[in-house]
Amino acid sequence: MINDAVPQKEARWVVLVEAETCPRYEEDHRWQLVAKRAVPDGGRAAADELARKLAMEYVPREVKGSAGETPAREVFRVADGSWLVEVRGINAKKILCRITTAVLVHEGK
């Protein structure tokens, strides 16, 4: 059995942002990690707050918006605590994003 538990005082929290790579709904959805934000202080609570902020504000590169405006979106809090966001730009392009808090348990060289 693999023990991947990280002692709480050593936990390195991050927020992961995934975006779909096949944005048309008739295709299979595939996901790609597009952003990884470290949370240096504040532990899980700070990671959860950053994830919420990104769910409300993150704009994928493929979505065009008006200068200075955040594109329209639907934001869902999923039962596991992650976020599912549909972002819509002025070009009517829609992109799904998943935003998740995580603990880094291993980092190779």
Side-chain angles (χ1 to χ4, degrees), residues 26-88:
E26 63 271 6
E27 295 181 23
D28 288 340
H29 292 275
R30 294 190 180 101
W31 300 88
Q32 179 178 2
L33 183 63
V34 295
K36 179 173 45 175
R37 304 280 166 79
V39 181
D41 298 311
R44 173 133 197 197
D48 287 341
E49 183 57 32
L50 178 57
R52 181 185 184 288
K53 180 178 179 0
L54 289 171
M56 301 301 173
E57 299 174 0
Y58 180 79
V59 180
R61 286 189 311 246
E62 301 84 3
V63 174
K64 305 293 183 223
S66 299
E69 291 187 19
T70 301
R73 66 190 58 231
E74 287 186 332
V75 179
F76 302 92
R77 182 72 189 241
V78 182
D80 67 2
S82 64
W83 300 87
L84 181 66
V85 182
E86 181 182 74
V87 182
R88 296 179 307 280

Side-chain angles (χ1 to χ4, degrees), residues 3-13 103-105:
N3 181 4
D4 62 356
V6 176
Q8 192 61 29
K9 66 181 179 180
E10 298 174 20
R12 290 178 54 194
W13 287 93
V103 174
L104 178 64
V105 297

